[in-house]
Amino acid sequence: MDLHAIDSVLIPRDRADLSGLGPQDAVLAGGTWLMSEPQPGLRRLVDLTGMRWPDVVVGTGSLEVAATCSIERLINAPYPPHWRATALFGQCARALLASFKIWRTATVGGNICLGLPAGAMISLCAALDAELLVWRRDGTDERCAITEFVTEINETVLHPGDVLRAITFSSVALSQPTALRKIAYSALGRSGALVTGRLDGADIVLGVTAATRRPIVLRVPADAERAVQAAVAIPDAQFHTDAHGTAQWRRAVTAQLAREVTEELMGGRP
């Protein structure tokens, strides 16, 4: 879509070029959402690809993913073989009906910054306890979890002039067994509820997304009944209703998905 209100495009080369961003500036990476509808309140685009951040940096203790990394690149990049949880990269992207054609352009950071319940990369961050690095407008840095970053549907901690710089996954989380369950009204529909699980020692870490207004992470002992109890304890107000599911249905299926995920990670034991 042509954005007729845009007067200029800024291509920053370093962080100093990002100073002075305001409400009429839009940070651009892939632009798949930005270009999909009119943006009458914007006057300038700020193309972050000019920063040339490395897409993925594999370290001895972590994986750092640039906010400008495309979803396709994240899925297809080579990783250490013992990072078994990297299988979730593609699973999360497919679970929320992001087309492979969109993967080529849509970015990890852009998907997160939209703050939508059906954010595939939000689900991934919840699953793996990701740490998000935010460059604040005043020049300071802030690190937070995805549960702190996304505060409501389409709302995040970002203020005008702030930029999501990177997402970091620890090698410990990436090395742990994972499982994913999703459910939708139709076989090819967008997931109405999605639950991920990760076996962390004697605990199960459950990520609940799509069904809720913001990502929720639960840590429970590796026991199916405890997982169900934790899911049932999520407040009613956190579940939302839209064309892809009612809040009541989402609450019910989330508890069942939590059970299935936990049982898979426990090897099928009740």
Side-chain angles (χ1 to χ4, degrees):
M1 173 174 286
D2 293 332
L3 301 180
H4 301 291
I6 299 299
D7 298 324
S8 61
V9 177
L10 170 66
I11 303 179
R13 301 302 181 187
D14 55 38
R15 188 169 181 176
D17 292 338
L18 298 174
S19 62
L21 302 187
Q24 293 186 323
D25 296 318
V27 171
L28 170 69
T32 52
W33 173 81
L34 192 66
M35 301 292 184
S36 69
E37 59 183 55
Q39 307 289 343
L42 300 181
R43 294 294 179 267
R44 182 173 64 164
L45 299 180
V46 182
D47 187 354
L48 288 181
T49 60
M51 302 289 281
R52 299 188 181 280
W53 297 326
D55 285 337
V56 294
V57 178
V58 176
T60 55
S62 65
L63 169 67
E64 181 181 277
V65 180
T68 50
C69 176
S70 72
I71 294 175
E72 181 183 60
R73 172 62 174 157
L74 176 71
I75 293 171
N76 294 327
Y79 301 110
H82 63 280
W83 282 5
R84 63 180 81 180
T86 55
L88 280 178
F89 295 173
Q91 291 173 7
C92 285
R94 288 187 290 271
L96 294 165
L97 208 62
S99 163
F100 69 90
K101 293 177 287 186
I102 296 294
W103 294 354
R104 297 171 183 168
T105 304
T107 60
V108 176
N111 186 268
I112 292 171
C113 290
L114 282 176
L116 298 175
M121 298 297 100
I122 292 174
S123 300
L124 179 62
C125 289
L128 298 178
D129 283 343
E131 181 183 75
L132 282 64
L133 171 60
V134 176
W135 281 0
R136 291 295 186 187
R137 183 182 182 185
D138 63 5
T140 59
D141 292 351
E142 182 176 328
R143 297 180 184 273
C144 60
I146 192 66
T147 51
E148 300 165 323
F149 185 87
V150 179
T151 57
E152 244 292 348
I153 295 177
N154 206 212
E155 295 180 10
T156 71
V157 296
L158 295 178
H159 301 298
D162 295 340
V163 171
L164 176 60
R165 166 60 183 90
I167 303 93
T168 300
F169 304 94
S170 75
S171 59
V172 173
L174 288 168
S175 302
Q176 293 172 338
T178 59
L180 181 149
R181 289 292 188 279
K182 61 174 183 173
I183 192 169
Y185 273 174
S186 61
L188 297 178
R190 197 189 77 192
S191 297
L194 189 151
V195 175
T196 57
R198 178 166 51 85
L199 184 60
D200 184 9
D203 291 339
I204 298 286
V205 180
L206 296 171
V208 179
T209 53
T212 51
R213 306 185 67 86
R214 54 190 295 271
I216 293 174
V217 175
L218 307 169
R219 178 179 285 270
V220 298
D223 176 84
E225 293 305 322
R226 295 287 292 273
V228 170
Q229 292 170 12
V232 169
I234 298 173
D236 288 342
Q238 288 296 326
F239 293 91
H240 69 107
T241 295
D242 63 11
H244 303 283
T246 65
Q248 183 178 15
W249 174 76
R250 282 176 156 138
R251 165 178 278 287
V253 297
T254 294
Q256 177 59 29
L257 296 181
R259 177 189 296 277
E260 293 177 9
V261 163
T262 303
E263 289 179 346
E264 177 179 335
L265 290 172
M266 294 172 60
R269 299 189 301 273

